[in-house]
Amino acid sequence: MAKAKCYKCEEKCGKGKISLEELQKLEMAYKAFLRTDSKSLVKKYLTRDVFDRLKYKRTTFGSTLLDCVQSGFENPDSNIGIYAADPSAYVVFADIFNPIIQDYHIGFKKSDHHPATDWGSLDKIGNLDPKGQYVVSTRVRCGRSIEGYPFNPSLTESQYWDIENKMISVLNGLEGELKGTYYPLNGMTKETQEKLIEDHFLFKEGDRFLQAANACRYWPVGRGIYHNQTKTFLVWVNEEDHIRIISLQPGGDLGAVYKRFVSGVADIEKKVKVIKSDRLGYLNFCPTNLGTAIRASVHIKIPKLASNMTRLNEIADRYHLQVRGTAGEHTEAKGGVYDISNKRRLGLTEAEAIQEMYNGIVEIIKLEKSS
Ligand code: ADP
Ligand code: CIR
């Protein structure tokens, strides 16, 4: 039987046209959101005109504009405020995603194309802090989504199990330094979970931005963490993205962290097909995680610069870096430890993203020394 066509929507999602009830809910939520003083990118770019153009649309998975923006609507303190409810949302709701992408990824225009993958020459990247005076630890991660599955808001409970089982078999095949064990969240003791979170290995639970985005349904079904014995190579399953691949170690040896990261990503991608778009590179749930989807960060102690956060943020902006708290986004710095990483992940190669972070951190350390 032919699928029903949405009202004013070209997509054949099978869920029928947007109902009056859905429209009213969306309209009320938008009006309430407009009354907030949110500084988020969704507030900046979701003008009445854009809203009116997008409010009738549905993606092939049946997602609506509200499925994408509800996290930002419910959390006016969001920085971005939008998630792609499924991969096709980046196309169907391009009128809101494109300006946000251009703003976050520093000038990536709607006519631009993300470059081909280029890891660069792995032996060229050095240690950010050879004397170990500033950098506590270094981490490189990326998000990846598995072909054939939507993102969190559209995943069924059995798809969460499917993705987890697929990843268990892929991860069990990793060898050498990457060899490790998968630990499902389902059944993990609270004590173990909390220790893993505190030590910065595991994702936190109850993120209100993800919860409002409908990204935590059936929790902890399908969620878990894989790590090697030394916890220098980790993979998160079914948190914000289908998978997050992470390389991490104490100190500032970005070269070693990046090399391990590249070999882990390559080994995983040999065994599982991930979602990639011609224009936007690797597709993930949050528009901040497109393109390379790489975030290379240090945990760093820079007490002099941190005594003036306005100046530190200005310096970070100059080098296209982003400052976060010790436990990640929307957290405070503990014990004077800041998380500083590359900001943009789209519109540049993997090698360029790492180089951008390297150059910026080296400059920040120089400025701290001379302050
Ligand atoms: P993500 O980096 O995966 O986007 P978060 O900002 O929430 O998400 O960070 C996830 C975890 O990784 C947090 O516990 C954070 O403290 C930890 N982390 C990030 N960078 C580093 C680093 N350089 N060293 C140690 N832990 C880190
Ligand atoms: C926000 O808009 O502030 C949150 N939704 C987080 C956005 C970026 N971070 C992320 O995806 N981890």
PDB file of all heavy atoms in Angstrom, residues 94-112:
ATOM      1  N   ALA A  94      16.790  21.734   6.517  1.00  0.00           N
ATOM      2  CA  ALA A  94      18.042  22.436   6.176  1.00  0.00           C
ATOM      3  C   ALA A  94      17.958  23.930   6.467  1.00  0.00           C
ATOM      4  O   ALA A  94      18.962  24.544   6.843  1.00  0.00           O
ATOM      5  CB  ALA A  94      18.375  22.213   4.697  1.00  0.00           C
ATOM      6  N   ASP A  95      16.777  24.520   6.340  1.00  0.00           N
ATOM      7  CA  ASP A  95      16.664  25.976   6.539  1.00  0.00           C
ATOM      8  C   ASP A  95      17.003  26.405   7.962  1.00  0.00           C
ATOM      9  O   ASP A  95      17.366  27.558   8.192  1.00  0.00           O
ATOM     10  CB  ASP A  95      15.234  26.462   6.210  1.00  0.00           C
ATOM     11  CG  ASP A  95      14.997  26.474   4.712  1.00  0.00           C
ATOM     12  OD1 ASP A  95      15.949  26.217   3.949  1.00  0.00           O
ATOM     13  OD2 ASP A  95      13.843  26.729   4.307  1.00  0.00           O
ATOM     14  N   ILE A  96      16.878  25.503   8.916  1.00  0.00           N
ATOM     15  CA  ILE A  96      17.311  25.854  10.271  1.00  0.00           C
ATOM     16  C   ILE A  96      18.703  25.251  10.569  1.00  0.00           C
ATOM     17  O   ILE A  96      19.536  25.880  11.228  1.00  0.00           O
ATOM     18  CB  ILE A  96      16.265  25.487  11.371  1.00  0.00           C
ATOM     19  CG1 ILE A  96      16.766  25.867  12.766  1.00  0.00           C
ATOM     20  CG2 ILE A  96      15.868  24.019  11.344  1.00  0.00           C
ATOM     21  CD1 ILE A  96      17.038  27.328  12.963  1.00  0.00           C
ATOM     22  N   PHE A  97      18.964  24.031  10.056  1.00  0.00           N
ATOM     23  CA  PHE A  97      20.280  23.440  10.345  1.00  0.00           C
ATOM     24  C   PHE A  97      21.427  24.218   9.666  1.00  0.00           C
ATOM     25  O   PHE A  97      22.472  24.434  10.275  1.00  0.00           O
ATOM     26  CB  PHE A  97      20.330  21.965   9.924  1.00  0.00           C
ATOM     27  CG  PHE A  97      19.730  21.056  10.965  1.00  0.00           C
ATOM     28  CD1 PHE A  97      18.490  20.472  10.779  1.00  0.00           C
ATOM     29  CD2 PHE A  97      20.408  20.802  12.146  1.00  0.00           C
ATOM     30  CE1 PHE A  97      17.934  19.654  11.756  1.00  0.00           C
ATOM     31  CE2 PHE A  97      19.866  19.980  13.132  1.00  0.00           C
ATOM     32  CZ  PHE A  97      18.625  19.405  12.929  1.00  0.00           C
ATOM     33  N   ASN A  98      21.226  24.656   8.418  1.00  0.00           N
ATOM     34  CA  ASN A  98      22.339  25.290   7.694  1.00  0.00           C
ATOM     35  C   ASN A  98      22.926  26.523   8.380  1.00  0.00           C
ATOM     36  O   ASN A  98      24.144  26.594   8.560  1.00  0.00           O
ATOM     37  CB  ASN A  98      21.947  25.597   6.249  1.00  0.00           C
ATOM     38  CG  ASN A  98      21.998  24.347   5.384  1.00  0.00           C
ATOM     39  OD1 ASN A  98      22.631  23.353   5.739  1.00  0.00           O
ATOM     40  ND2 ASN A  98      21.332  24.378   4.251  1.00  0.00           N
ATOM     41  N   PRO A  99      22.084  27.503   8.785  1.00  0.00           N
ATOM     42  CA  PRO A  99      22.697  28.661   9.451  1.00  0.00           C
ATOM     43  C   PRO A  99      23.353  28.306  10.783  1.00  0.00           C
ATOM     44  O   PRO A  99      24.372  28.899  11.153  1.00  0.00           O
ATOM     45  CB  PRO A  99      21.528  29.635   9.648  1.00  0.00           C
ATOM     46  CG  PRO A  99      20.287  28.854   9.409  1.00  0.00           C
ATOM     47  CD  PRO A  99      20.642  27.697   8.548  1.00  0.00           C
ATOM     48  N   ILE A 100      22.793  27.321  11.491  1.00  0.00           N
ATOM     49  CA  ILE A 100      23.396  26.915  12.770  1.00  0.00           C
ATOM     50  C   ILE A 100      24.748  26.244  12.512  1.00  0.00           C
ATOM     51  O   ILE A 100      25.740  26.511  13.190  1.00  0.00           O
ATOM     52  CB  ILE A 100      22.421  25.991  13.550  1.00  0.00           C
ATOM     53  CG1 ILE A 100      21.259  26.835  14.079  1.00  0.00           C
ATOM     54  CG2 ILE A 100      23.132  25.256  14.676  1.00  0.00           C
ATOM     55  CD1 ILE A 100      20.177  26.077  14.822  1.00  0.00           C
ATOM     56  N   ILE A 101      24.777  25.401  11.476  1.00  0.00           N
ATOM     57  CA  ILE A 101      26.032  24.733  11.104  1.00  0.00           C
ATOM     58  C   ILE A 101      27.079  25.778  10.706  1.00  0.00           C
ATOM     59  O   ILE A 101      28.236  25.715  11.116  1.00  0.00           O
ATOM     60  CB  ILE A 101      25.762  23.728   9.951  1.00  0.00           C
ATOM     61  CG1 ILE A 101      25.022  22.498  10.501  1.00  0.00           C
ATOM     62  CG2 ILE A 101      27.043  23.329   9.232  1.00  0.00           C
ATOM     63  CD1 ILE A 101      24.471  21.549   9.447  1.00  0.00           C
ATOM     64  N   GLN A 102      26.662  26.761   9.926  1.00  0.00           N
ATOM     65  CA  GLN A 102      27.598  27.801   9.466  1.00  0.00           C
ATOM     66  C   GLN A 102      28.157  28.597  10.655  1.00  0.00           C
ATOM     67  O   GLN A 102      29.343  28.910  10.700  1.00  0.00           O
ATOM     68  CB  GLN A 102      26.875  28.742   8.499  1.00  0.00           C
ATOM     69  CG  GLN A 102      27.778  29.846   7.979  1.00  0.00           C
ATOM     70  CD  GLN A 102      27.219  30.540   6.755  1.00  0.00           C
ATOM     71  OE1 GLN A 102      26.224  30.098   6.174  1.00  0.00           O
ATOM     72  NE2 GLN A 102      27.849  31.619   6.355  1.00  0.00           N
ATOM     73  N   ASP A 103      27.311  28.886  11.621  1.00  0.00           N
ATOM     74  CA  ASP A 103      27.733  29.644  12.794  1.00  0.00           C
ATOM     75  C   ASP A 103      28.674  28.799  13.653  1.00  0.00           C
ATOM     76  O   ASP A 103      29.794  29.208  13.973  1.00  0.00           O
ATOM     77  CB  ASP A 103      26.461  30.040  13.595  1.00  0.00           C
ATOM     78  CG  ASP A 103      26.742  31.080  14.653  1.00  0.00           C
ATOM     79  OD1 ASP A 103      27.746  30.932  15.350  1.00  0.00           O
ATOM     80  OD2 ASP A 103      25.936  32.023  14.801  1.00  0.00           O
ATOM     81  N   TYR A 104      28.261  27.575  13.989  1.00  0.00           N
ATOM     82  CA  TYR A 104      29.072  26.749  14.897  1.00  0.00           C
ATOM     83  C   TYR A 104      30.401  26.341  14.254  1.00  0.00           C
ATOM     84  O   TYR A 104      31.455  26.403  14.883  1.00  0.00           O
ATOM     85  CB  TYR A 104      28.298  25.490  15.346  1.00  0.00           C
ATOM     86  CG  TYR A 104      29.136  24.703  16.330  1.00  0.00           C
ATOM     87  CD1 TYR A 104      29.132  25.027  17.685  1.00  0.00           C
ATOM     88  CD2 TYR A 104      29.994  23.692  15.887  1.00  0.00           C
ATOM     89  CE1 TYR A 104      29.955  24.362  18.578  1.00  0.00           C
ATOM     90  CE2 TYR A 104      30.823  23.027  16.777  1.00  0.00           C
ATOM     91  CZ  TYR A 104      30.796  23.357  18.114  1.00  0.00           C
ATOM     92  OH  TYR A 104      31.620  22.718  18.996  1.00  0.00           O
ATOM     93  N   HIS A 105      30.326  25.913  12.995  1.00  0.00           N
ATOM     94  CA  HIS A 105      31.540  25.412  12.329  1.00  0.00           C
ATOM     95  C   HIS A 105      32.285  26.529  11.583  1.00  0.00           C
ATOM     96  O   HIS A 105      32.974  26.278  10.588  1.00  0.00           O
ATOM     97  CB  HIS A 105      31.208  24.229  11.418  1.00  0.00           C
ATOM     98  CG  HIS A 105      30.693  23.027  12.173  1.00  0.00           C
ATOM     99  ND1 HIS A 105      31.519  22.201  12.905  1.00  0.00           N
ATOM    100  CD2 HIS A 105      29.446  22.550  12.346  1.00  0.00           C
ATOM    101  CE1 HIS A 105      30.785  21.251  13.481  1.00  0.00           C
ATOM    102  NE2 HIS A 105      29.524  21.435  13.151  1.00  0.00           N
ATOM    103  N   ILE A 106      32.109  27.726  12.059  1.00  0.00           N
ATOM    104  CA  ILE A 106      32.893  28.899  11.678  1.00  0.00           C
ATOM    105  C   ILE A 106      32.980  29.085  10.153  1.00  0.00           C
ATOM    106  O   ILE A 106      34.047  28.962   9.541  1.00  0.00           O
ATOM    107  CB  ILE A 106      34.296  28.877  12.365  1.00  0.00           C
ATOM    108  CG1 ILE A 106      34.160  28.436  13.830  1.00  0.00           C
ATOM    109  CG2 ILE A 106      34.987  30.236  12.263  1.00  0.00           C
ATOM    110  CD1 ILE A 106      35.452  28.290  14.605  1.00  0.00           C
ATOM    111  N   GLY A 107      31.832  29.324   9.552  1.00  0.00           N
ATOM    112  CA  GLY A 107      31.829  29.735   8.146  1.00  0.00           C
ATOM    113  C   GLY A 107      31.535  28.642   7.130  1.00  0.00           C
ATOM    114  O   GLY A 107      31.679  28.882   5.930  1.00  0.00           O
ATOM    115  N   PHE A 108      31.106  27.460   7.558  1.00  0.00           N
ATOM    116  CA  PHE A 108      30.780  26.390   6.599  1.00  0.00           C
ATOM    117  C   PHE A 108      29.413  26.713   5.966  1.00  0.00           C
ATOM    118  O   PHE A 108      28.373  26.531   6.591  1.00  0.00           O
ATOM    119  CB  PHE A 108      30.761  25.030   7.297  1.00  0.00           C
ATOM    120  CG  PHE A 108      30.563  23.868   6.353  1.00  0.00           C
ATOM    121  CD1 PHE A 108      31.646  23.234   5.753  1.00  0.00           C
ATOM    122  CD2 PHE A 108      29.281  23.406   6.048  1.00  0.00           C
ATOM    123  CE1 PHE A 108      31.460  22.172   4.883  1.00  0.00           C
ATOM    124  CE2 PHE A 108      29.086  22.351   5.176  1.00  0.00           C
ATOM    125  CZ  PHE A 108      30.179  21.730   4.600  1.00  0.00           C
ATOM    126  N   LYS A 109      29.470  27.162   4.709  1.00  0.00           N
ATOM    127  CA  LYS A 109      28.249  27.674   4.061  1.00  0.00           C
ATOM    128  C   LYS A 109      27.386  26.545   3.478  1.00  0.00           C
ATOM    129  O   LYS A 109      27.872  25.431   3.283  1.00  0.00           O
ATOM    130  CB  LYS A 109      28.637  28.638   2.937  1.00  0.00           C
ATOM    131  CG  LYS A 109      29.365  29.899   3.444  1.00  0.00           C
ATOM    132  CD  LYS A 109      29.555  30.922   2.358  1.00  0.00           C
ATOM    133  CE  LYS A 109      30.542  30.506   1.286  1.00  0.00           C
ATOM    134  NZ  LYS A 109      31.913  30.296   1.777  1.00  0.00           N
ATOM    135  N   LYS A 110      26.140  26.894   3.128  1.00  0.00           N
ATOM    136  CA  LYS A 110      25.260  25.833   2.616  1.00  0.00           C
ATOM    137  C   LYS A 110      25.721  25.314   1.263  1.00  0.00           C
ATOM    138  O   LYS A 110      25.355  24.212   0.860  1.00  0.00           O
ATOM    139  CB  LYS A 110      23.796  26.268   2.610  1.00  0.00           C
ATOM    140  CG  LYS A 110      23.400  27.338   1.646  1.00  0.00           C
ATOM    141  CD  LYS A 110      21.898  27.541   1.755  1.00  0.00           C
ATOM    142  CE  LYS A 110      21.426  28.590   0.774  1.00  0.00           C
ATOM    143  NZ  LYS A 110      20.036  28.949   0.958  1.00  0.00           N
ATOM    144  N   SER A 111      26.572  26.080   0.574  1.00  0.00           N
ATOM    145  CA  SER A 111      27.112  25.617  -0.714  1.00  0.00           C
ATOM    146  C   SER A 111      28.427  24.847  -0.533  1.00  0.00           C
ATOM    147  O   SER A 111      28.990  24.322  -1.490  1.00  0.00           O
ATOM    148  CB  SER A 111      27.353  26.825  -1.622  1.00  0.00           C
ATOM    149  OG  SER A 111      28.143  27.778  -0.923  1.00  0.00           O
ATOM    150  N   ASP A 112      28.944  24.790   0.697  1.00  0.00           N
ATOM    151  CA  ASP A 112      30.237  24.121   0.937  1.00  0.00           C
ATOM    152  C   ASP A 112      30.093  22.602   1.040  1.00  0.00           C
ATOM    153  O   ASP A 112      29.028  22.093   1.397  1.00  0.00           O
ATOM    154  CB  ASP A 112      30.858  24.640   2.236  1.00  0.00           C
ATOM    155  CG  ASP A 112      31.432  26.032   2.067  1.00  0.00           C
ATOM    156  OD1 ASP A 112      31.637  26.451   0.914  1.00  0.00           O
ATOM    157  OD2 ASP A 112      31.645  26.708   3.097  1.00  0.00           O
TER     158      ASP A 112
END
